[in-house]
Amino acid sequence: MKKYSLIILVIGVLMSAFLSGCSGGDEKGLEKVKIGISGSDSDVWKYIAQKAEKEGIDLEIVEFSDYVRPNQALADGDIDANAFQTISYFNAFKKEHKLDLAPIATTVIAPMGVYSQKYKDVKDIPAGSTIALPNEATNMGRALLLLQSAGLIKLEKNFDGNGDLKKVVENKKQLKLKPVVAGQTPRVLPDVAASIINNGVAVDAGMNPKKDSIFLESKTAKPYINIIATRTEDKNKKSLKKIAKIYQSKETAKKINEIYKGATIPTFVPLSEIGE
């Protein structure tokens, strides 16, 4: 009888552990949530994780080294949410790969900038000069819009945000626009008049976008606001809503400003304002 009681007890313990694992709990009784990031956001998310623990959430940060796997991992169920991309990139990626994902909150804008080792102002860039820009379609489109904002080119009337040099309809200075791999944009600076560099790439290269760029993207560039994304079926999940609320707090905004010193700007706007 004791033998059977012991067997029943062991089975009960195993079943309890199994059910606990399925519900995403841990040994502290916290709900387990995995967030995927890519780039230099780990300090911010470590701060979020500390705050989340007080809300009953064990937030595990999963770091990726590229911009493809975080969305694939999310769609595959390997993580519960991710936070690394602009709404523009997100919409293009999920459409191309047919993924059922949804944004749940805005986070920051990491302004793209024009950088130069030769000139202090975009107006000083001479006619016929070469300007490097990222070659990936979404980032190239963003770079072209930045050049238009700087008054150097004009784009076709219904520009859709996807990069294509054929969409430049006016280039009075006859500037030579040279697409290069995004990671190479800082390295070509000695060889060009200016280079358009993504925020994270600039920071990784030791530059401060606010101080070192000669022209910086505005925080009102709504297609390029970053988001927290999840699977569409989970967009109303309470734990994810709590994480989003923690991120969009005054305390987190202050922490972001402390860490990035203005290079990355907290941008908490309703999803409706970015077309969602």
Side-chain angles (χ1 to χ4, degrees):
M1 189 70 181
K2 288 183 179 180
K3 181 180 178 181
Y4 289 121
S5 297
L6 181 60
I7 291 171
I8 291 169
L9 178 62
V10 170
I11 291 172
V13 170
L14 290 173
M15 285 297 293
S16 176
F18 174 76
L19 291 171
S20 175
C22 288
S23 64
D26 65 10
E27 66 275 7
K28 295 181 182 178
L30 303 177
E31 183 177 356
K32 188 85 169 180
V33 174
K34 292 184 179 181
I35 183 99
I37 67 169
S38 180
S40 56
D41 287 348
S42 59
D43 287 343
V44 173
W45 280 101
K46 286 175 184 175
Y47 174 81
I48 301 292
Q50 291 174 357
K51 295 289 185 181
E53 188 170 358
K54 296 176 183 177
E55 297 286 337
I57 300 167
D58 178 9
L59 185 61
E60 179 183 343
I61 301 163
V62 181
E63 298 192 43
F64 295 89
S65 58
D66 67 288
Y67 283 6
V68 174
R69 289 189 299 146
N71 278 329
Q72 292 289 5
L74 179 57
D76 293 342
D78 296 329
I79 56 177
D80 301 296
N82 66 40
F84 75 99
Q85 63 195 322
T86 66
I87 188 65
S88 177
Y89 177 87
F90 171 75
N91 283 334
F93 190 97
K94 73 172 184 176
K95 182 179 180 180
E96 179 183 353
H97 296 275
K98 297 179 174 60
L99 303 180
D100 192 15
L101 307 178
I104 58 170
T106 59
T107 55
V108 298
I109 188 165
M112 179 179 273
V114 181
Y115 297 78
S116 178
Q117 293 181 349
K118 301 178 176 75
Y119 306 102
K120 300 291 185 183
D121 193 302
V122 289
K123 295 176 183 177
D124 299 331
I125 296 173
S129 296
T130 298
I131 297 179
L133 69 169
N135 66 354
E136 182 271 322
T138 304
N139 283 318
M140 185 193 291
R142 185 177 182 179
L144 291 173
L145 283 169
L146 186 61
L147 287 175
Q148 180 170 258
S149 297
L152 294 176
I153 63 169
K154 282 188 179 179
L155 299 168
E156 62 186 19
K157 188 176 181 181
N158 296 314
F159 181 64
D160 60 4
N162 290 313
D164 186 337
L165 298 184
K166 293 177 182 177
K167 296 176 181 178
V168 177
V169 296
E170 187 177 297
N171 182 359
K172 289 182 178 179
K173 286 190 172 185
Q174 296 298 304
L175 299 168
K176 299 168 186 173
L177 304 180
K178 181 181 179 181
V180 299
V181 175
Q184 297 294 323
T185 49
R187 298 177 190 177
V188 300
L189 275 169
D191 306 315
V192 296
S195 186
I196 301 176
I197 307 176
N198 286 77
N199 186 285
V201 176
V203 171
D204 288 344
M207 293 183 278
N208 182 306
K210 190 174 182 180
K211 294 179 181 178
D212 299 326
S213 65
I214 62 171
F215 190 82
L216 195 63
E217 191 173 53
S218 167
K219 68 178 182 180
T220 60
K222 291 180 181 177
Y224 307 115
I225 293 173
N226 283 35
I227 58 162
I228 300 172
T230 188
R231 290 177 293 280
T232 301
E233 64 190 54
D234 292 336
K235 68 179 183 179
N236 294 315
K237 202 170 181 180
K238 288 183 180 180
S239 56
L240 296 179
K241 284 185 172 291
K242 284 182 182 180
I243 290 167
K245 186 175 180 180
I246 293 168
Y247 199 108
Q248 293 188 335
S249 67
K250 290 180 180 179
E251 293 80 9
T252 300
K254 183 179 178 182
K255 190 69 176 179
I256 291 168
N257 288 327
E258 285 176 4
I259 292 170
Y260 295 109
K261 297 176 173 55
T264 294
I265 305 165
T267 312
F268 308 150
V269 298
L271 292 172
S272 59
E273 289 193 19
I274 56 171
E276 294 297 318

